[in-house]
Amino acid sequence: MTPDPLALEIADRGEHALARLAALRSLDPPTTGGRILSYVYDSGLEELDELATRAARLAHGVNGLDPTVFASVAEIHGGIVDRVRTILGGVTDAGAPGGDAAGGVVPGGAEVYGSVTSGGTESCILACLAAREVSGREPGSGGTIVAPVTAHAAFRKAAHLLGLRFVGVEVDPATGRVTAEELLAAVDERTVLVVCSAPAYPTGVIDPVAEVAAGLEARHDPRIGLHVDACLGGLVLPFWPSAEPTGPTEPGGSEAAALWALRVPRVTSISADLHKYGFAPKGSSVLLSRGRERHRAAWFATVDWPGYPVVNPTLAGSKPLEPAAAAWTVLEALGDDGQRELVARTARATDRLVEGLSTIEGLRVLDRDPGPLLAVAMDDTVDDGRRVHPHLWADACGRRGISVQAQPAHRQGRGTLSSSSHLTVTPVTERLVDDILLVAREAADEVRGQGAPTPPAAFGDVLAALDSGALSPGDLLALPEDDVHAMVSGVLSDAPDDGAGGGMAPLMAAIERLPADVGARLVRAYLAAVME
Ligand SMILES: *Cc1c(COP(=O)(O)O)cnc(C)c1O
């Protein structure tokens, strides 16, 4: 048989492309090994990554769009939903509470159904879409999503896309918390969905789900949804070893499930990301919904076009099976005991980090609940000269090879939430705690007493003009995109070429000085300039 000349040529060019890809990947920080304390969730087990890769390869080529053609799609999605529903204390569609020997009890009076999505943002958007549909409100007719300001930005995005309004309820600036009463005070006849987080990404605080549920139950229309955003916590809190209950420690069966998961009957939906503490590759999350109506309300179907009948349970049309197949395999491989052990490692690492960071002069660890997130801010009880600004500290950690995530201060009427830096702790972190704390101390020593960072020089004119009133925020919003681009490109070209772009502190300082809509425009232009 003569070899296909096209195949030979493609193989040759493909090898070159792969070599270039490998070189490009070497520009990235390592995604395993624990030196990045956000974005990546590393089990620390190479075997698990290897399994996920093999699973993805087996699923290669399948179009998840159509389970009637590809039978594996329904089985894999069904298996994932079953597993996550059990962990979160839901009931199966047979009416038996997952993992609960007591049986028969059907919290909320309806079974729990689920969709596998591409990530937390998609799960959250679909929860909002379902809530809007169940409410019967038209897009743009004033329907609201009520959530603490600490709820993930995905809900603001959902409101933007779905013709809803995001009503952010201010939190106590000292603790990052809202009471159920404060949250419920924002609920009215326009509300389609109330959102609580378990936990909130910026703070690690778990919102008072059970109290909010009780208040909604007592006083409000049953069609108003209550979504628990457990994108981060869903697969970690139920296994968290803690004196205080943080969720269903015996999957589906514990008293603690009453705190925030599906055991709270008034909770109507919950999102949990597999690509976070499910230790699966990026591209998988689950949305669980109580009752067929709410579950199916997020779907889109049409036969009103000349092509195939369309039924999309999620936002995408054609979609890969790879992420779901990888997530399913990882869930199966870990089981309860594997998950519990990985979470125990995470918890030990978190405790040691919190303890160590708390002793660094000039920094303080923000109020939080048990779980793998923590944020540090400046300790303003010490003298000016001893304070450590968390963004300068983050950049100094970055220069030493440990990446933590800067979070800008958030202005609200009750008082500003401080600038902070966020750390996501994963199982692999346990091996690195001493290294991380060493870096954290050195970085704090380097920047202690330096004062607040200043915005990039390229923004100087604009900020001065805003301050003097020569330019209004409206003028800035009206600027043509090319002018904004030119301004932001100046920031990028001024930045020292140290791979970290000179750090994030100056950009954060600019964001903190600008009205939020202007800041959003600038960060959009910034990312676009990076990508161009
Ligand atoms: C990560 C996260 C999301 C969004 O998830 P993506 O997977 O990044 O789209 C939503 N809510 C919380 C609390 C999260 O931590």
Side-chain angles (χ1 to χ4, degrees):
M1 206 173 62
T2 42
D4 180 340
L6 178 62
L8 288 176
E9 201 174 315
I10 285 177
D12 189 42
R13 287 207 297 258
E15 285 309 317
H16 280 97
L18 285 175
R20 278 165 55 205
L21 177 60
L24 291 174
R25 286 286 288 106
S26 74
L27 300 174
D28 299 331
T31 57
T32 55
R35 297 190 163 268
I36 309 184
L37 290 135
S38 58
Y39 302 118
V40 296
Y41 299 79
D42 183 3
S43 68
L45 301 174
E46 266 173 50
E47 296 75 7
L48 217 50
D49 291 339
E50 180 57 28
L51 275 175
T53 307
R54 284 170 59 197
R57 209 181 167 99
L58 279 172
H60 178 76
V62 171
N63 192 340
L65 172 65
D66 196 344
T68 68
V69 172
F70 300 101
S72 64
V73 174
E75 291 296 322
I76 288 165
H77 283 211
I80 289 173
V81 168
D82 247 353
R83 173 85 181 118
V84 176
R85 177 169 51 202
T86 301
I87 291 172
L88 293 174
V91 290
T92 67
D93 45 13
D100 184 353
V105 189
V106 186
E111 303 86 350
V112 172
Y113 299 87
S115 293
V116 177
T117 74
S118 65
T121 299
E122 189 178 19
S123 294
C124 296
I125 291 171
L126 290 173
C128 296
L129 171 60
R132 192 194 70 192
E133 294 295 296
V134 168
S135 77
R137 275 195 173 265
E138 294 292 322
S141 68
T144 65
I145 300 169
V146 171
V149 293
T150 47
H152 197 276
F155 295 96
R156 288 161 167 94
K157 183 176 187 176
H160 170 72
L161 294 173
L162 297 172
L164 297 167
R165 196 161 58 81
F166 180 84
V167 177
V169 175
E170 299 188 359
V171 299
D172 180 332
T175 63
R177 295 174 190 274
V178 275
T179 64
E181 280 311 311
E182 288 160 352
L183 195 60
L184 289 165
V187 176
D188 61 22
E189 69 292 342
R190 291 166 300 185
T191 305
V192 306
L193 187 68
V194 179
V195 176
C196 287
S197 305
Y201 185 88
T203 55
V205 163
I206 301 175
D207 292 326
V209 176
E211 291 89 336
V212 171
L216 271 181
E217 179 97 67
R219 300 203 297 271
H220 292 285
D221 184 338
R223 278 176 308 176
I224 298 177
L226 173 56
H227 181 77
V228 176
D229 180 9
C231 278
L232 196 125
L235 293 169
V236 61
L237 295 184
F239 300 95
W240 196 262
S242 169
E244 287 168 50
T246 48
T249 45
E250 287 305 316
S254 90
E255 291 294 305
L259 286 180
W260 58 266
L262 290 161
R263 289 279 157 142
V264 180
R266 188 61 180 77
V267 168
T268 54
S269 55
I270 186 162
S271 48
D273 288 354
L274 300 162
H275 64 204
K276 288 180 181 160
Y277 289 91
F279 306 109
K282 290 286 178 277
S284 59
S285 170
V286 172
L287 172 65
L288 298 176
S289 304
R290 199 184 298 279
R292 286 204 173 92
E293 186 188 352
R294 190 170 294 270
H295 172 57
R296 293 181 188 176
W299 296 29
F300 176 79
T302 185
V303 292
D304 186 20
W305 77 308
Y308 58 91
V310 167
V311 190
N312 294 155
T314 62
L315 295 176
S318 289
K319 59 184 174 186
L321 183 60
E322 278 100 327
W328 178 85
T329 305
V330 169
L331 284 172
E332 291 286 312
L334 279 177
D336 279 349
D337 52 343
Q339 194 82 22
R340 191 170 291 115
E341 171 56 25
L342 289 182
V343 172
R345 292 176 191 181
T346 307
R348 287 194 297 265
T350 309
D351 288 347
R352 286 174 55 204
L353 273 181
V354 168
E355 202 184 304
L357 291 170
S358 308
T359 65
I360 297 179
E361 188 188 15
L363 283 178
R364 69 190 162 95
V365 177
L366 293 182
D367 188 30
R368 51 189 287 280
D369 287 309
L373 299 186
L374 60 105
V376 297
M378 189 164 73
D379 179 1
D380 37 25
T381 65
V382 299
D383 289 346
D384 273 359
R386 306 303 301 164
R387 294 179 186 177
V388 174
H389 193 284
H391 297 164
L392 295 175
W393 175 75
D395 287 344
C397 288
R399 289 191 290 274
R400 291 170 173 78
I402 294 290
S403 159
V404 304
Q405 195 175 44
Q407 305 186 125
H410 179 77
R411 284 182 300 263
Q412 48 162 31
R414 284 178 76 175
T416 297
L417 289 174
S418 323
S419 313
S420 61
S421 286
H422 166 109
L423 289 81
T424 296
V425 184
T426 64
V428 77
T429 315
E430 193 178 19
R431 293 181 208 148
L432 282 179
V433 171
D434 293 331
D435 293 2
I436 294 169
L437 286 174
L438 186 69
V439 163
R441 282 192 202 96
E442 286 177 5
D445 290 345
E446 180 192 325
V447 303
R448 186 172 289 111
Q450 278 185 13
T454 48
F459 287 175
D461 291 349
V462 172
L463 289 167
L466 275 172
D467 285 346
S468 72
L471 196 67
S472 75
D475 296 335
L476 255 183
L477 288 172
L479 275 184
E481 199 58 41
D482 288 339
D483 293 1
V484 177
H485 176 76
M487 201 173 109
V488 169
S489 305
V491 177
L492 283 172
S493 56
D494 287 353
D497 193 15
D498 60 0
M504 294 308 278
L507 187 63
M508 294 289 143
I511 292 170
E512 291 180 352
R513 294 256 313 262
L514 292 165
D517 47 1
V518 177
R521 189 153 191 223
L522 283 187
V523 293
R524 184 177 67 188
Y526 182 89
L527 188 72
V530 169
M531 297 195 64
E532 279 172 25

